[in-house]
Amino acid sequence: MKSDDYYLSLAVEIAAKYSYSGENGPFGAVIVKDNKIIAEGWNEVVKSHDPTAHAEIVAIRKACKTLDSFSLTGCTIYSSCEPCPMCLSAIIWARIDRVVYAEGREAAANAGFDDQKIYHAIEERQLQEIVQMERIKVDSSIAPFKAWLSNPLRKKY
């Protein structure tokens, strides 16, 4: 049985390897289930022109395909850095049991990534400082939820 150190070192190695070209950010992730690697990911934001292509998100997408499921229950994700709020949300939605990371969000901030700013805004409930958010209710806004709840074929996730 391999240790947390082994998988975490692999995530760090992936981050270093793929960030060298300059087309990928300095982040790597490995997802493990039953002591078997089911997915690896690295930051592909610049290369793919996709702001959501963080290492953890890329690994989650691959793991879900590998397991043919939207649920990654029973998995651990190893990340070279503390997951940003988007990745943490995806980890939670994917039902990953455990997160193990090497560097903290401070290292990301020192390297020019603004995770810290987002975490601060969330903690202080000041998201308006980052993005303008406005709720406007329309008569039909509840319709999708009513349709969902009345659908006997819906699959809970």
Side-chain angles (χ1 to χ4, degrees):
M1 185 168 182
K2 296 192 168 97
S3 68
D4 286 340
D5 286 352
Y6 173 82
Y7 294 119
L8 193 54
S9 294
L10 183 57
V12 170
E13 182 181 312
I14 289 168
K17 175 182 176 183
Y18 286 97
S19 68
Y20 186 74
S21 72
E23 292 186 348
N24 303 298
F27 304 98
V30 175
I31 298 179
V32 175
K33 183 172 186 173
D34 299 327
N35 206 38
K36 180 181 176 194
I37 295 172
I38 59 170
E40 297 176 353
W42 48 90
N43 184 288
E44 299 179 24
V45 169
V46 174
K47 185 176 183 179
S48 68
H49 307 287
D50 178 356
T52 68
H54 291 199
E56 295 90 342
I57 301 292
V58 171
I60 287 169
R61 289 174 181 159
K62 289 178 181 178
C64 287
K65 283 183 182 177
T66 297
L67 296 179
D68 194 28
S69 175
F70 58 81
S71 176
L72 298 179
T73 300
C75 293
T76 296
I77 187 166
Y78 295 87
S79 182
S80 61
C81 189
E82 181 178 2
C84 75
M86 176 185 68
C87 292
L88 183 57
S89 295
I91 288 164
I92 292 166
W93 279 112
R95 312 291 196 272
I96 293 174
D97 293 351
R98 190 166 165 247
V99 179
V100 179
Y101 62 92
E103 284 295 329
R105 61 181 90 154
E106 299 80 11
N110 290 337
F113 295 91
D114 59 4
D115 301 11
Q116 189 80 326
K117 179 174 113 177
I118 299 167
Y119 267 113
H120 176 74
I122 291 169
E123 290 165 359
E124 298 298 318
R125 297 192 182 270
Q126 296 174 352
L127 289 174
Q128 292 285 2
E129 291 180 8
I130 296 175
V131 63
Q132 182 180 337
M133 292 175 54
E134 182 178 355
R135 180 179 180 187
I136 299 175
K137 287 195 64 125
V138 294
D139 291 339
S140 60
S141 63
I142 197 66
F145 296 106
K146 286 182 177 178
W148 169 256
L149 289 170
S150 67
N151 183 350
L153 301 176
R154 75 178 186 264
K155 293 183 179 163
K156 189 176 178 186
Y157 63 94

